[in-house]
Amino acid sequence: MIRLFMLMLLLISFGFSAVGERVVWSSGMSLLAFLESHSIPLRLYYNLSNADKELSSEVQVGSVCYILRDDLGKILQILIPISEDVQIHIYATKEGYSLDFIPIITTKITHKVALSIQKSPYQDLLEKTNDSVLTNQVINIYKKSINLEKFIRKNDLLAVIYTRKYRLGRTFSTPEIKAAMIETNKKSNYLFGFEDTFYDLKAREIVGFLLEMPVKYNRISSPFSYGRFHPILKQTRPHYGVDLAATYGTPIYAAASGRVIYSGYRGGYGNVVEINHGDGIRTLYGHMSKRSTRSGSFVKKGQLIGYVGSTGVSTGPHLHFGVYKNNRPVNPMGIVRTTKKELKGTKKQEFLRLARNYQEQLDAILSPIEQNP
Ligand SMILES: [Zn+2]
């Protein structure tokens, strides 16, 4: 408890400290290289368990790390986020340095916005929220099912309910859209976020992921897990992908078409390929024996990208397959499929209750605008 309190004090002091330094994680950076470049003993990495070595390879390009130094420039503390929930914590001790994994403390705020469209849904929402990530997300989802340019008229209404996480006074990770409504020539089009995807009022999915299983595997050797972090016991570790045990040399195919954003060697993942599929979807393939694609090239769904191996931190040949939605890891086994979902039974009932509640909230924030545009 005292430890947690001290940590919170440190975190708070970070927000105002003049010696706190923000460092952006660059492409291809590994924890080992990071330690080396900051003259921190490499044993901090070598002493990690295999699972933790793999986890430390999860740090995403563009992540913001914080480095706190004393007046003489000696590093006192480093925080490196590896997901929305967990960060690597390196801190000075009497003997040198220590490393552990600790929860990320964030504040979640729900925002509700409503407006009458004057210029374009994109322009107006951006001006109202000042949040380009949120604006892009909302417009991209709607574009899947509606031709916005063609059907929207001036004074059509738009409303969004979403949550945003804040870390050290700044927005952190991506917004979560709970519900939205956009009018097209006075016709209401609602959408509701539910279990990692979006549905309309009739519980039909709006955005369909179209990912295919990238490998013929024998069994799942380690399932996906958010490993919800216990702040005191500090035992559970997340596993941001699924390990698919397969014969050495089994071909690996792109789960969907997209652009290869990384093909190279990275820490615990060994030979790794990452593909950006657009719409905020990214896939990662780790521990390959051989890569057969290059950074920057375009691949088609089902195209060969490499072979199963055991490179990096691995106890036997397997594919570590990761799927990210807006940089947030999601369970690949729940997303690999070829058709849109339609909710049924008790799940549908649960969704409809939630949707009705959000529909009322959206209508409530829209009614003053409707009466007085
Ligand atoms: Zn794995």
Side-chain angles (χ1 to χ4, degrees):
M1 206 57 223
I2 289 165
R3 238 188 111 134
L4 253 183
F5 180 68
M6 295 280 290
L7 174 70
M8 280 168 79
L9 272 183
L10 261 174
L11 283 169
I12 290 162
S13 67
F14 253 178
F16 305 100
S17 170
V19 285
E21 178 191 339
R22 286 160 48 86
V23 177
V24 176
W25 200 262
S26 57
S27 176
M29 175 65 85
S30 67
L31 178 60
L32 198 60
F34 181 90
L35 295 176
E36 202 167 6
S37 67
H38 289 88
S39 305
I40 309 250
L42 302 186
R43 61 167 174 79
L44 289 192
Y45 174 81
Y46 291 120
N47 288 349
L48 292 176
S49 70
N50 279 359
D52 286 351
K53 277 181 190 150
E54 188 183 85
L55 193 58
S56 77
S57 311
E58 269 290 319
V59 185
Q60 290 172 16
V61 176
S63 294
V64 176
C65 314
Y66 290 88
I67 302 178
L68 182 69
R69 295 173 193 272
D70 68 13
D71 293 342
L72 300 170
K74 181 183 184 278
I75 291 176
L76 300 177
Q77 189 193 36
I78 301 175
L79 295 171
I80 307 169
I82 42 180
S83 71
E84 287 185 1
D85 308 316
V86 188
Q87 60 193 339
I88 297 170
H89 178 217
I90 299 164
Y91 53 101
T93 61
K94 266 186 195 144
E95 295 77 34
Y97 285 97
S98 279
L99 181 154
D100 58 15
F101 292 79
I102 61 168
I104 291 179
I105 298 166
T106 55
T107 308
K108 203 187 221 177
I109 299 177
T110 300
H111 300 279
K112 297 182 182 187
V113 293
L115 57 88
S116 146
I117 297 165
Q118 299 304 310
K119 293 172 199 155
S120 76
Y122 182 88
Q123 275 290 325
D124 295 327
L125 187 58
L126 184 61
E127 277 170 27
K128 184 97 180 173
T129 59
N130 220 345
D131 191 330
S132 59
V133 181
L134 181 268
T135 304
N136 273 316
Q137 253 173 257
V138 172
I139 301 302
N140 281 339
I141 298 162
Y142 270 121
K143 270 187 176 167
K144 300 241 155 202
S145 53
I146 305 169
N147 185 337
L148 296 178
E149 279 108 58
K150 193 170 167 192
F151 293 113
I152 286 184
R153 301 283 176 267
K154 201 178 175 193
N155 296 326
D156 272 341
L157 301 175
L158 169 60
V160 187
I161 299 173
Y162 64 100
T163 58
R164 253 309 197 176
K165 282 184 180 169
Y166 297 85
R167 173 186 181 226
L168 305 176
R170 292 168 194 258
T171 53
F172 178 66
S173 93
T174 47
E176 196 180 331
I177 299 165
K178 299 289 187 185
M181 196 290 288
I182 194 165
E183 273 185 339
T184 44
N185 206 5
K186 301 291 161 207
K187 175 181 174 277
S188 303
N189 304 282
Y190 290 92
L191 66 80
F192 306 95
F194 188 70
E195 296 185 343
D196 283 336
T197 185
F198 294 96
Y199 295 90
D200 65 13
L201 265 179
K202 290 183 176 146
R204 290 175 311 205
E205 190 177 18
I206 290 171
V207 182
F209 288 110
L210 299 171
L211 294 187
E212 266 171 26
M213 188 51 74
V215 74
K216 261 202 178 133
Y217 63 96
N218 301 325
R219 63 189 177 88
I220 293 174
S221 50
S222 179
F224 176 92
S225 148
Y226 284 117
R228 287 292 174 219
F229 210 80
H230 194 291
I232 313 279
L233 297 175
K234 295 207 270 180
Q235 277 163 343
T236 357
R237 290 286 196 267
H239 183 226
Y240 294 132
V242 64
D243 287 348
L244 305 167
T247 315
Y248 190 92
T250 305
I252 300 166
Y253 306 104
S257 301
R259 197 170 78 90
V260 176
I261 47 171
Y262 188 74
S263 173
Y265 202 91
R266 191 201 294 152
Y269 283 136
N271 272 318
V272 63
V273 168
E274 272 185 286
I275 305 175
N276 184 354
H277 304 287
D279 293 333
I281 311 291
R282 185 161 52 89
T283 52
L284 179 149
Y285 313 79
H287 309 304
M288 289 181 173
S289 57
K290 201 175 147 231
R291 288 173 282 110
S292 38
T293 185
R294 276 180 210 193
S295 303
S297 54
F298 283 88
V299 289
K300 285 223 156 76
K301 180 192 272 192
Q303 188 175 326
L304 180 76
I305 54 167
Y307 299 89
V308 170
S310 196
T311 54
V313 185
S314 168
T315 45
H318 74 280
L319 170 68
H320 172 100
F321 178 44
V323 179
Y324 303 80
K325 207 190 148 189
N326 297 316
N327 282 331
R328 185 170 189 270
V330 291
N331 187 353
M333 302 316 272
I335 268 165
V336 171
R337 58 202 155 84
T338 49
T339 52
K340 287 186 184 183
K341 270 201 251 186
E342 198 176 332
L343 294 170
K344 294 210 169 70
T346 53
K347 269 273 178 262
K348 185 173 178 177
Q349 296 313 312
E350 186 192 333
F351 166 79
L352 290 175
R353 266 197 305 278
L354 185 113
R356 268 194 292 274
N357 183 299
Y358 275 122
Q359 192 184 6
E360 280 169 23
Q361 292 186 47
L362 288 168
D363 293 347
I365 54 173
L366 279 166
S367 74
I369 294 175
E370 198 166 16
Q371 280 144 32
N372 203 354

